[in-house]
Amino acid sequence: MAQETVRPLAYDASSIQVLEGLSAVRKRPGMYIGSTDARGLHHLVNEVVDNSIDEVLAGACDQIDVTLHADGSCSVRDNGRGIPVEEHPKYHRPALEIVMTVLHAGSKFDRTAYKVTGGLHGVGVHVVNALSEWLEVRVRRNGHEYFQRYERGAPVAPLITVGPADTTGTETRFMPDSTVFETLVFDKETVARRLKELSFLNAGVRITLRDERDTTSEIFHHAGGIAEFVEDINLAVTPLFKPPITLHAKRDTTDIELALQYNDGYNETTLAFVNNINTVDGGTHVVGLRAALTRTLNDYARQRGFLKGDKEGLTGEDVREGLTAVLSIKVLEPQFEGQTKARLGNSEVKGQVESAVHDKLAEFLEEHPSVGQILIAKALQASQAREAARKARELTRRKGLLEGGGLPGKLADCHSRDPAECELFIVEGDSAGGTAKQGRDREFQAILPLRGKILNVEKARLDQMLQNEQIRALITAIGIGIGDEMDVSRLRYHKIILMTDADVDGSHIRTLLLTLFYRKMPVLITEGHVYIAQAPLYRLQKASRLAYAYSDEERDKVLTEYGGMKGVTIQRYKGLGEMNADQLAETTMRPGARTLLRVTVDDAGRANALFQILMGEEVEPRRAYIQEHAVEVTNLDI
Ligand code: 0RA
């Protein structure tokens, strides 16, 4: 074949290395991109975009255009310096080809600066290439436009010049390999979310997202950077001052940027990024930030006489109540730790961040005493509430309400004492609770019926929460406690299953419960203990044939299988209470027969904003959100 003869990778040593690298990636894609589902697919886009963002970090690029093409491919074009095309000293091939085919090109063609691609996702574009049916790259550089095409990672022709160019930059277009990925459809929202985040984190960069499939386009551009990020997060709450406080400092080679604003709520939202990577598990930079906040606000409060000499100081929790902060730092050699590599480990960074934030924040408060007053008032109020909560907790403990022996009366516990096999069904209403009790397997399934409305913890403090009977019952049954005394090793059930009606009330109760868990017992969610039961919406019977349908589509499918509506009895379940115990067990509760949705938080910032919108004070954003995302709200699997 003609094509074979022009393949530059014939039989020399480097070509063998390339082919070995490719087959390693193609054999175990999960090792490189985590998975081959939708998440892995979007990882490809992020990898390519991150390479352009590295040009932004080098100060060499301010425009990135992402296109989701109608043919299913994706392209990313930037106005950076262009990937070098000069001969690579070790491989004796164009550097571009090496970047596209070999693990970490290295040497003089490696950009020395802060790098997104050095971090968590930094697998290299060659991985994208290896997992693409085809990939085409165009580089504008040295007055020329260069072009090369690859198939499944291997070049199909040498790098060629296709014309003159009066600008510089790189464009990469790739078609994900259908033999690798389970899904091939790029989700605009998923792509947009990361691009939006990047546009906040890199003030001034202009990122466009064009979707040729529906001919829409969006521009992400935030001259205000992370200050605008904070404002965006706080859209649904009432800030205590405007604009957010911002600071920027350098300590050694570490660049530190922070924006923060307080609101009249009680929750903390801190997003922390290292080289544009979201460190959801925190790390030394977050420890430094917290230490600085506590120290600076205590010093300030004492100097101004808000805290008398003998009085106990403000705690970390006090100074973080109602705080929204975005911390974005750049580190030359980040070390990411932990199972998901989402925690920064560099020990030197703690002191760098603490020093920078302390100095700059103290300076800011000196210059803006009115904002200082607001911060101190907020923290003192939190401190008083914390004291009240401690008393309330002591009181409930004395009454034996929060600890062993005092399990709530309504709880129908299971026999097993092995938490790993135990399940707690939280059921809406006494009537459904009764049915669930009959239908359960008492060996390992416990039932806790909840009556009426549950307190909205988004608007309540710990002391108010502990006065609420429903919430006390939940806390006691779950067993891990709440607040600073939480201990996940005391979890009594490894599956906590929310079983509510498929109507508006049920969805509201479910959201309230998820808010409670997310805000007050987040380990339950991060460790994957919370599930949502899926009850059927329809029961369809035709003579001796019986089927359950969990959606309208499923109902229609069953009807087709039945050969039409004739002779079919359709029952629509409006609530769990309409099922008898056997039906409930067989459709919703029994392992093997049931489907459970596990609640996960992909994106802490988004979940946070979602709860603020759904449960917060501001009505308008909530209405807008619910109208826009009606389906998601009734099927909340954040
Ligand atoms: C290595 C060195 C230089 C730039 C790049 C790589 C580069 C890579 C990508 C990936 C996507 N867009 C990119 N743009 C640039 C520096 C080259 C120089 O000093 O001229």
Side-chain angles (χ1 to χ4, degrees), residues 366-403:
E366 280 304 318
E367 287 166 13
H368 302 82
S370 60
V371 178
Q373 290 252 328
I374 294 171
L375 261 57
I376 298 302
K378 175 81 180 172
L380 286 174
Q381 205 183 41
S383 164
Q384 282 150 16
R386 179 170 49 88
E387 183 60 16
R390 194 185 57 75
K391 287 194 180 128
R393 210 161 34 219
E394 229 158 56
L395 199 68
T396 38
R397 182 173 308 136
R398 242 179 282 129
K399 288 198 210 146
L401 285 171
L402 278 183
E403 259 142 35

Side-chain angles (χ1 to χ4, degrees), residues 48-55 78 80-84 86 99-100 108-111 125 141 169-172:
V48 178
V49 170
D50 284 352
N51 276 279
S52 296
I53 290 288
D54 282 351
E55 280 297 278
D78 68 50
R81 291 165 292 183
I83 302 178
E86 297 76 39
V99 167
M100 288 295 166
K108 75 166 185 186
F109 295 110
D110 196 13
R111 289 168 288 184
V125 264
R141 195 176 157 88
T170 304
E171 178 176 344
T172 309

